[in-house]
Amino acid sequence: MDDKTSNDNKEAPTTTTPSKVEPNFVAPLGPNVHVSRHPILAHKLSVLRSSSTPPHSFRAVLREITFHLAYEATSTLSTRDVPITVPSSSNSSNHVDAIGQKLRERVALIPILRSGLGMVDPMLELVNGATVHHIGMYKNKSNMMPVQYYNRLPKVCDVDVAYVLDPLIATSNTITSVVGMLKKWGVSEIHVLSVIASRRGLSELLKRHPGVHVTLGTLDDGLSDDGDLLPGLGDAGDRLYGTGEVGEDDDLVHVSKRKRTMSDLGN
């Protein structure tokens, strides 16, 4: 075999694009799904789950976890060159010309009320130029389907990337519905940021919206018959704001006049 024939049969060299997944994240369900494996975050997740964590601590830990997850989720954003000046170290009145970087995309945060509100501030610390559009959803207990009660999306979409914020993904009915709304609104790239998701819920979300990006703190295997995440962390909204269920007969009665149980009387 001559050299020419040998060279013709050689495969052209290929180049690989480095993965954007950081060492502390794994992508078991595709390149767009990142699940943290950081030991510090695992520790903080246990604090967040614990029944003994009071609302003020719950808010603080959720903020820390969100900042960690958001740092990873925003790594896919791009930048453009901008001219800047830098003060001289020898003479503060002199400035040196340089090239800096500025985010290219227009970013929006979409917190799902009310628990998603606890994730907004740490996101704004990272992307302080982002707009915030609220969507309110609650679960219909009879069929576990989401019901929208509030929507502040502008009529015209002026956003390139949207980050949907919700601490929990259980059945994924709510998050799937919101992602669908954003697609109809016209967002080209959608990221879901959540602390805990069920494996079944995540699978359903990806089945309905295979192109969505998802960044998670961890995955739970359990899902109750009522559609609650197990072990989860309880009702994230109630734990954020120190609220609980009010008795049906007591919701319009001042707290001082509500019925008291024997355990209340004994305290």
Side-chain angles (χ1 to χ4, degrees), residues 58-87:
F58 187 93
R59 290 191 294 270
V61 175
L62 178 60
R63 182 187 185 98
E64 293 171 359
I65 291 173
T66 301
F67 193 91
H68 175 85
L69 296 176
Y71 181 81
E72 302 296 340
T74 53
S75 65
T76 58
L77 294 174
S78 61
T79 60
R80 59 184 176 86
D81 291 345
V82 292
I84 63 173
T85 58
V86 182

PDB file of all heavy atoms in Angstrom, residues 58-87:
ATOM      1  N   PHE A  58     -33.807  28.798  58.102  1.00  0.00           N
ATOM      2  CA  PHE A  58     -34.216  28.201  56.836  1.00  0.00           C
ATOM      3  C   PHE A  58     -34.002  29.190  55.692  1.00  0.00           C
ATOM      4  O   PHE A  58     -33.465  28.833  54.636  1.00  0.00           O
ATOM      5  CB  PHE A  58     -35.689  27.785  56.913  1.00  0.00           C
ATOM      6  CG  PHE A  58     -36.184  27.006  55.722  1.00  0.00           C
ATOM      7  CD1 PHE A  58     -36.160  25.624  55.730  1.00  0.00           C
ATOM      8  CD2 PHE A  58     -36.683  27.665  54.602  1.00  0.00           C
ATOM      9  CE1 PHE A  58     -36.617  24.898  54.634  1.00  0.00           C
ATOM     10  CE2 PHE A  58     -37.140  26.948  53.504  1.00  0.00           C
ATOM     11  CZ  PHE A  58     -37.108  25.565  53.519  1.00  0.00           C
ATOM     12  N   ARG A  59     -34.389  30.433  55.903  1.00  0.00           N
ATOM     13  CA  ARG A  59     -34.204  31.460  54.869  1.00  0.00           C
ATOM     14  C   ARG A  59     -32.726  31.666  54.560  1.00  0.00           C
ATOM     15  O   ARG A  59     -32.333  31.800  53.402  1.00  0.00           O
ATOM     16  CB  ARG A  59     -34.840  32.781  55.318  1.00  0.00           C
ATOM     17  CG  ARG A  59     -36.355  32.773  55.349  1.00  0.00           C
ATOM     18  CD  ARG A  59     -36.920  34.176  55.541  1.00  0.00           C
ATOM     19  NE  ARG A  59     -36.597  34.744  56.838  1.00  0.00           N
ATOM     20  CZ  ARG A  59     -37.354  34.602  57.922  1.00  0.00           C
ATOM     21  NH1 ARG A  59     -38.475  33.889  57.858  1.00  0.00           N
ATOM     22  NH2 ARG A  59     -37.007  35.162  59.067  1.00  0.00           N
ATOM     23  N   ALA A  60     -31.908  31.719  55.607  1.00  0.00           N
ATOM     24  CA  ALA A  60     -30.475  31.956  55.422  1.00  0.00           C
ATOM     25  C   ALA A  60     -29.811  30.810  54.665  1.00  0.00           C
ATOM     26  O   ALA A  60     -28.998  31.033  53.762  1.00  0.00           O
ATOM     27  CB  ALA A  60     -29.800  32.153  56.784  1.00  0.00           C
ATOM     28  N   VAL A  61     -30.168  29.562  55.017  1.00  0.00           N
ATOM     29  CA  VAL A  61     -29.549  28.409  54.367  1.00  0.00           C
ATOM     30  C   VAL A  61     -30.034  28.281  52.924  1.00  0.00           C
ATOM     31  O   VAL A  61     -29.248  27.962  52.022  1.00  0.00           O
ATOM     32  CB  VAL A  61     -29.828  27.115  55.164  1.00  0.00           C
ATOM     33  CG1 VAL A  61     -29.291  25.898  54.427  1.00  0.00           C
ATOM     34  CG2 VAL A  61     -29.208  27.204  56.545  1.00  0.00           C
ATOM     35  N   LEU A  62     -31.309  28.557  52.692  1.00  0.00           N
ATOM     36  CA  LEU A  62     -31.815  28.518  51.320  1.00  0.00           C
ATOM     37  C   LEU A  62     -31.093  29.549  50.458  1.00  0.00           C
ATOM     38  O   LEU A  62     -30.766  29.281  49.296  1.00  0.00           O
ATOM     39  CB  LEU A  62     -33.325  28.780  51.297  1.00  0.00           C
ATOM     40  CG  LEU A  62     -33.964  28.817  49.904  1.00  0.00           C
ATOM     41  CD1 LEU A  62     -33.768  27.485  49.177  1.00  0.00           C
ATOM     42  CD2 LEU A  62     -35.447  29.161  50.006  1.00  0.00           C
ATOM     43  N   ARG A  63     -30.810  30.692  51.042  1.00  0.00           N
ATOM     44  CA  ARG A  63     -30.071  31.730  50.321  1.00  0.00           C
ATOM     45  C   ARG A  63     -28.665  31.236  49.948  1.00  0.00           C
ATOM     46  O   ARG A  63     -28.213  31.416  48.818  1.00  0.00           O
ATOM     47  CB  ARG A  63     -29.976  32.979  51.205  1.00  0.00           C
ATOM     48  CG  ARG A  63     -29.268  34.164  50.572  1.00  0.00           C
ATOM     49  CD  ARG A  63     -29.076  35.276  51.590  1.00  0.00           C
ATOM     50  NE  ARG A  63     -28.510  36.460  50.981  1.00  0.00           N
ATOM     51  CZ  ARG A  63     -29.210  37.509  50.590  1.00  0.00           C
ATOM     52  NH1 ARG A  63     -30.517  37.531  50.764  1.00  0.00           N
ATOM     53  NH2 ARG A  63     -28.618  38.555  50.033  1.00  0.00           N
ATOM     54  N   GLU A  64     -27.984  30.596  50.903  1.00  0.00           N
ATOM     55  CA  GLU A  64     -26.627  30.094  50.646  1.00  0.00           C
ATOM     56  C   GLU A  64     -26.630  29.010  49.570  1.00  0.00           C
ATOM     57  O   GLU A  64     -25.786  28.998  48.674  1.00  0.00           O
ATOM     58  CB  GLU A  64     -26.033  29.555  51.950  1.00  0.00           C
ATOM     59  CG  GLU A  64     -25.780  30.627  52.999  1.00  0.00           C
ATOM     60  CD  GLU A  64     -25.400  30.030  54.346  1.00  0.00           C
ATOM     61  OE1 GLU A  64     -25.357  28.780  54.448  1.00  0.00           O
ATOM     62  OE2 GLU A  64     -25.141  30.793  55.287  1.00  0.00           O
ATOM     63  N   ILE A  65     -27.587  28.095  49.665  1.00  0.00           N
ATOM     64  CA  ILE A  65     -27.675  27.011  48.686  1.00  0.00           C
ATOM     65  C   ILE A  65     -27.984  27.563  47.294  1.00  0.00           C
ATOM     66  O   ILE A  65     -27.394  27.144  46.292  1.00  0.00           O
ATOM     67  CB  ILE A  65     -28.738  25.983  49.121  1.00  0.00           C
ATOM     68  CG1 ILE A  65     -28.274  25.231  50.369  1.00  0.00           C
ATOM     69  CG2 ILE A  65     -29.046  25.003  47.985  1.00  0.00           C
ATOM     70  CD1 ILE A  65     -29.324  24.309  50.961  1.00  0.00           C
ATOM     71  N   THR A  66     -28.908  28.516  47.236  1.00  0.00           N
ATOM     72  CA  THR A  66     -29.272  29.111  45.950  1.00  0.00           C
ATOM     73  C   THR A  66     -28.075  29.788  45.303  1.00  0.00           C
ATOM     74  O   THR A  66     -27.852  29.662  44.090  1.00  0.00           O
ATOM     75  CB  THR A  66     -30.411  30.133  46.124  1.00  0.00           C
ATOM     76  OG1 THR A  66     -31.551  29.480  46.690  1.00  0.00           O
ATOM     77  CG2 THR A  66     -30.798  30.760  44.794  1.00  0.00           C
ATOM     78  N   PHE A  67     -27.291  30.507  46.104  1.00  0.00           N
ATOM     79  CA  PHE A  67     -26.118  31.205  45.559  1.00  0.00           C
ATOM     80  C   PHE A  67     -25.152  30.187  44.948  1.00  0.00           C
ATOM     81  O   PHE A  67     -24.608  30.409  43.853  1.00  0.00           O
ATOM     82  CB  PHE A  67     -25.427  32.005  46.656  1.00  0.00           C
ATOM     83  CG  PHE A  67     -24.417  32.991  46.142  1.00  0.00           C
ATOM     84  CD1 PHE A  67     -24.781  34.294  45.853  1.00  0.00           C
ATOM     85  CD2 PHE A  67     -23.094  32.616  45.940  1.00  0.00           C
ATOM     86  CE1 PHE A  67     -23.855  35.207  45.370  1.00  0.00           C
ATOM     87  CE2 PHE A  67     -22.156  33.514  45.463  1.00  0.00           C
ATOM     88  CZ  PHE A  67     -22.542  34.816  45.177  1.00  0.00           C
ATOM     89  N   HIS A  68     -24.946  29.069  45.640  1.00  0.00           N
ATOM     90  CA  HIS A  68     -24.040  28.026  45.143  1.00  0.00           C
ATOM     91  C   HIS A  68     -24.557  27.448  43.826  1.00  0.00           C
ATOM     92  O   HIS A  68     -23.811  27.310  42.847  1.00  0.00           O
ATOM     93  CB  HIS A  68     -23.909  26.923  46.189  1.00  0.00           C
ATOM     94  CG  HIS A  68     -23.104  25.740  45.736  1.00  0.00           C
ATOM     95  ND1 HIS A  68     -21.732  25.700  45.829  1.00  0.00           N
ATOM     96  CD2 HIS A  68     -23.485  24.561  45.182  1.00  0.00           C
ATOM     97  CE1 HIS A  68     -21.297  24.543  45.349  1.00  0.00           C
ATOM     98  NE2 HIS A  68     -22.341  23.829  44.953  1.00  0.00           N
ATOM     99  N   LEU A  69     -25.849  27.106  43.783  1.00  0.00           N
ATOM    100  CA  LEU A  69     -26.430  26.524  42.578  1.00  0.00           C
ATOM    101  C   LEU A  69     -26.451  27.531  41.432  1.00  0.00           C
ATOM    102  O   LEU A  69     -26.186  27.185  40.275  1.00  0.00           O
ATOM    103  CB  LEU A  69     -27.852  26.034  42.868  1.00  0.00           C
ATOM    104  CG  LEU A  69     -27.994  24.908  43.890  1.00  0.00           C
ATOM    105  CD1 LEU A  69     -29.471  24.614  44.144  1.00  0.00           C
ATOM    106  CD2 LEU A  69     -27.283  23.647  43.412  1.00  0.00           C
ATOM    107  N   ALA A  70     -26.765  28.787  41.757  1.00  0.00           N
ATOM    108  CA  ALA A  70     -26.859  29.820  40.725  1.00  0.00           C
ATOM    109  C   ALA A  70     -25.507  30.104  40.092  1.00  0.00           C
ATOM    110  O   ALA A  70     -25.415  30.400  38.890  1.00  0.00           O
ATOM    111  CB  ALA A  70     -27.440  31.098  41.316  1.00  0.00           C
ATOM    112  N   TYR A  71     -24.450  30.029  40.892  1.00  0.00           N
ATOM    113  CA  TYR A  71     -23.099  30.240  40.371  1.00  0.00           C
ATOM    114  C   TYR A  71     -22.806  29.243  39.260  1.00  0.00           C
ATOM    115  O   TYR A  71     -22.215  29.585  38.227  1.00  0.00           O
ATOM    116  CB  TYR A  71     -22.086  30.114  41.501  1.00  0.00           C
ATOM    117  CG  TYR A  71     -20.654  30.345  41.093  1.00  0.00           C
ATOM    118  CD1 TYR A  71     -20.157  31.637  40.971  1.00  0.00           C
ATOM    119  CD2 TYR A  71     -19.815  29.273  40.812  1.00  0.00           C
ATOM    120  CE1 TYR A  71     -18.836  31.851  40.588  1.00  0.00           C
ATOM    121  CE2 TYR A  71     -18.500  29.479  40.427  1.00  0.00           C
ATOM    122  CZ  TYR A  71     -18.015  30.773  40.318  1.00  0.00           C
ATOM    123  OH  TYR A  71     -16.713  30.986  39.927  1.00  0.00           O
ATOM    124  N   GLU A  72     -23.220  27.981  39.469  1.00  0.00           N
ATOM    125  CA  GLU A  72     -23.015  26.954  38.454  1.00  0.00           C
ATOM    126  C   GLU A  72     -23.961  27.141  37.275  1.00  0.00           C
ATOM    127  O   GLU A  72     -23.562  27.003  36.111  1.00  0.00           O
ATOM    128  CB  GLU A  72     -23.214  25.564  39.074  1.00  0.00           C
ATOM    129  CG  GLU A  72     -22.306  25.253  40.242  1.00  0.00           C
ATOM    130  CD  GLU A  72     -20.839  25.205  39.851  1.00  0.00           C
ATOM    131  OE1 GLU A  72     -20.552  25.044  38.655  1.00  0.00           O
ATOM    132  OE2 GLU A  72     -19.990  25.315  40.743  1.00  0.00           O
ATOM    133  N   ALA A  73     -25.225  27.457  37.558  1.00  0.00           N
ATOM    134  CA  ALA A  73     -26.227  27.565  36.490  1.00  0.00           C
ATOM    135  C   ALA A  73     -25.926  28.711  35.528  1.00  0.00           C
ATOM    136  O   ALA A  73     -26.237  28.630  34.343  1.00  0.00           O
ATOM    137  CB  ALA A  73     -27.615  27.746  37.098  1.00  0.00           C
ATOM    138  N   THR A  74     -25.323  29.774  36.034  1.00  0.00           N
ATOM    139  CA  THR A  74     -25.039  30.937  35.185  1.00  0.00           C
ATOM    140  C   THR A  74     -23.736  30.796  34.403  1.00  0.00           C
ATOM    141  O   THR A  74     -23.360  31.710  33.660  1.00  0.00           O
ATOM    142  CB  THR A  74     -24.982  32.227  36.028  1.00  0.00           C
ATOM    143  OG1 THR A  74     -24.059  32.037  37.124  1.00  0.00           O
ATOM    144  CG2 THR A  74     -26.349  32.570  36.592  1.00  0.00           C
ATOM    145  N   SER A  75     -23.052  29.662  34.545  1.00  0.00           N
ATOM    146  CA  SER A  75     -21.775  29.482  33.848  1.00  0.00           C
ATOM    147  C   SER A  75     -21.941  29.382  32.339  1.00  0.00           C
ATOM    148  O   SER A  75     -20.973  29.515  31.591  1.00  0.00           O
ATOM    149  CB  SER A  75     -21.054  28.238  34.366  1.00  0.00           C
ATOM    150  OG  SER A  75     -21.785  27.071  34.055  1.00  0.00           O
ATOM    151  N   THR A  76     -23.173  29.156  31.868  1.00  0.00           N
ATOM    152  CA  THR A  76     -23.398  29.050  30.424  1.00  0.00           C
ATOM    153  C   THR A  76     -23.670  30.404  29.770  1.00  0.00           C
ATOM    154  O   THR A  76     -23.804  30.478  28.550  1.00  0.00           O
ATOM    155  CB  THR A  76     -24.589  28.115  30.136  1.00  0.00           C
ATOM    156  OG1 THR A  76     -25.753  28.611  30.800  1.00  0.00           O
ATOM    157  CG2 THR A  76     -24.295  26.701  30.620  1.00  0.00           C
ATOM    158  N   LEU A  77     -23.770  31.464  30.569  1.00  0.00           N
ATOM    159  CA  LEU A  77     -23.969  32.794  29.995  1.00  0.00           C
ATOM    160  C   LEU A  77     -22.710  33.232  29.248  1.00  0.00           C
ATOM    161  O   LEU A  77     -21.603  32.789  29.556  1.00  0.00           O
ATOM    162  CB  LEU A  77     -24.298  33.817  31.091  1.00  0.00           C
ATOM    163  CG  LEU A  77     -25.631  33.628  31.827  1.00  0.00           C
ATOM    164  CD1 LEU A  77     -25.743  34.618  32.978  1.00  0.00           C
ATOM    165  CD2 LEU A  77     -26.813  33.767  30.874  1.00  0.00           C
ATOM    166  N   SER A  78     -22.883  34.096  28.271  1.00  0.00           N
ATOM    167  CA  SER A  78     -21.743  34.573  27.486  1.00  0.00           C
ATOM    168  C   SER A  78     -21.500  36.054  27.750  1.00  0.00           C
ATOM    169  O   SER A  78     -22.343  36.744  28.331  1.00  0.00           O
ATOM    170  CB  SER A  78     -21.989  34.341  25.988  1.00  0.00           C
ATOM    171  OG  SER A  78     -23.138  35.046  25.558  1.00  0.00           O
ATOM    172  N   THR A  79     -20.345  36.534  27.333  1.00  0.00           N
ATOM    173  CA  THR A  79     -19.981  37.939  27.547  1.00  0.00           C
ATOM    174  C   THR A  79     -19.517  38.569  26.235  1.00  0.00           C
ATOM    175  O   THR A  79     -19.199  37.876  25.268  1.00  0.00           O
ATOM    176  CB  THR A  79     -18.852  38.063  28.588  1.00  0.00           C
ATOM    177  OG1 THR A  79     -17.701  37.344  28.119  1.00  0.00           O
ATOM    178  CG2 THR A  79     -19.273  37.513  29.941  1.00  0.00           C
ATOM    179  N   ARG A  80     -19.463  39.883  26.248  1.00  0.00           N
ATOM    180  CA  ARG A  80     -18.906  40.642  25.126  1.00  0.00           C
ATOM    181  C   ARG A  80     -17.869  41.625  25.656  1.00  0.00           C
ATOM    182  O   ARG A  80     -17.920  42.018  26.829  1.00  0.00           O
ATOM    183  CB  ARG A  80     -20.000  41.390  24.362  1.00  0.00           C
ATOM    184  CG  ARG A  80     -20.809  42.372  25.190  1.00  0.00           C
ATOM    185  CD  ARG A  80     -21.923  42.996  24.363  1.00  0.00           C
ATOM    186  NE  ARG A  80     -22.772  43.868  25.162  1.00  0.00           N
ATOM    187  CZ  ARG A  80     -22.519  45.149  25.411  1.00  0.00           C
ATOM    188  NH1 ARG A  80     -21.407  45.717  24.920  1.00  0.00           N
ATOM    189  NH2 ARG A  80     -23.342  45.883  26.147  1.00  0.00           N
ATOM    190  N   ASP A  81     -16.950  41.985  24.815  1.00  0.00           N
ATOM    191  CA  ASP A  81     -15.889  42.907  25.209  1.00  0.00           C
ATOM    192  C   ASP A  81     -16.435  44.328  25.349  1.00  0.00           C
ATOM    193  O   ASP A  81     -17.243  44.784  24.534  1.00  0.00           O
ATOM    194  CB  ASP A  81     -14.761  42.917  24.177  1.00  0.00           C
ATOM    195  CG  ASP A  81     -13.985  41.605  24.159  1.00  0.00           C
ATOM    196  OD1 ASP A  81     -14.139  40.823  25.113  1.00  0.00           O
ATOM    197  OD2 ASP A  81     -13.247  41.373  23.174  1.00  0.00           O
ATOM    198  N   VAL A  82     -15.972  45.024  26.398  1.00  0.00           N
ATOM    199  CA  VAL A  82     -16.317  46.435  26.576  1.00  0.00           C
ATOM    200  C   VAL A  82     -15.061  47.191  27.013  1.00  0.00           C
ATOM    201  O   VAL A  82     -14.223  46.649  27.746  1.00  0.00           O
ATOM    202  CB  VAL A  82     -17.427  46.629  27.640  1.00  0.00           C
ATOM    203  CG1 VAL A  82     -18.753  46.067  27.161  1.00  0.00           C
ATOM    204  CG2 VAL A  82     -17.031  45.991  28.969  1.00  0.00           C
ATOM    205  N   PRO A  83     -14.902  48.425  26.567  1.00  0.00           N
ATOM    206  CA  PRO A  83     -13.740  49.208  27.006  1.00  0.00           C
ATOM    207  C   PRO A  83     -13.922  49.686  28.439  1.00  0.00           C
ATOM    208  O   PRO A  83     -15.011  50.127  28.832  1.00  0.00           O
ATOM    209  CB  PRO A  83     -13.724  50.381  26.025  1.00  0.00           C
ATOM    210  CG  PRO A  83     -15.137  50.532  25.581  1.00  0.00           C
ATOM    211  CD  PRO A  83     -15.731  49.159  25.579  1.00  0.00           C
ATOM    212  N   ILE A  84     -12.882  49.583  29.256  1.00  0.00           N
ATOM    213  CA  ILE A  84     -12.902  50.090  30.625  1.00  0.00           C
ATOM    214  C   ILE A  84     -11.585  50.809  30.905  1.00  0.00           C
ATOM    215  O   ILE A  84     -10.627  50.694  30.137  1.00  0.00           O
ATOM    216  CB  ILE A  84     -13.099  48.956  31.659  1.00  0.00           C
ATOM    217  CG1 ILE A  84     -11.911  47.970  31.600  1.00  0.00           C
ATOM    218  CG2 ILE A  84     -14.422  48.240  31.458  1.00  0.00           C
ATOM    219  CD1 ILE A  84     -11.940  46.924  32.703  1.00  0.00           C
ATOM    220  N   THR A  85     -11.574  51.574  31.981  1.00  0.00           N
ATOM    221  CA  THR A  85     -10.333  52.174  32.452  1.00  0.00           C
ATOM    222  C   THR A  85     -10.053  51.668  33.855  1.00  0.00           C
ATOM    223  O   THR A  85     -10.981  51.428  34.644  1.00  0.00           O
ATOM    224  CB  THR A  85     -10.409  53.711  32.469  1.00  0.00           C
ATOM    225  OG1 THR A  85     -11.499  54.121  33.294  1.00  0.00           O
ATOM    226  CG2 THR A  85     -10.600  54.261  31.061  1.00  0.00           C
ATOM    227  N   VAL A  86      -8.773  51.501  34.178  1.00  0.00           N
ATOM    228  CA  VAL A  86      -8.341  50.977  35.475  1.00  0.00           C
ATOM    229  C   VAL A  86      -7.421  52.008  36.126  1.00  0.00           C
ATOM    230  O   VAL A  86      -6.494  52.498  35.474  1.00  0.00           O
ATOM    231  CB  VAL A  86      -7.582  49.648  35.302  1.00  0.00           C
ATOM    232  CG1 VAL A  86      -7.175  49.089  36.657  1.00  0.00           C
ATOM    233  CG2 VAL A  86      -8.436  48.636  34.536  1.00  0.00           C
ATOM    234  N   PRO A  87      -7.668  52.381  37.401  1.00  0.00           N
ATOM    235  CA  PRO A  87      -6.796  53.366  38.041  1.00  0.00           C
ATOM    236  C   PRO A  87      -5.376  52.845  38.180  1.00  0.00           C
ATOM    237  O   PRO A  87      -5.152  51.667  38.470  1.00  0.00           O
ATOM    238  CB  PRO A  87      -7.448  53.593  39.408  1.00  0.00           C
ATOM    239  CG  PRO A  87      -8.278  52.383  39.650  1.00  0.00           C
ATOM    240  CD  PRO A  87      -8.743  51.936  38.301  1.00  0.00           C
TER     241      PRO A  87
END
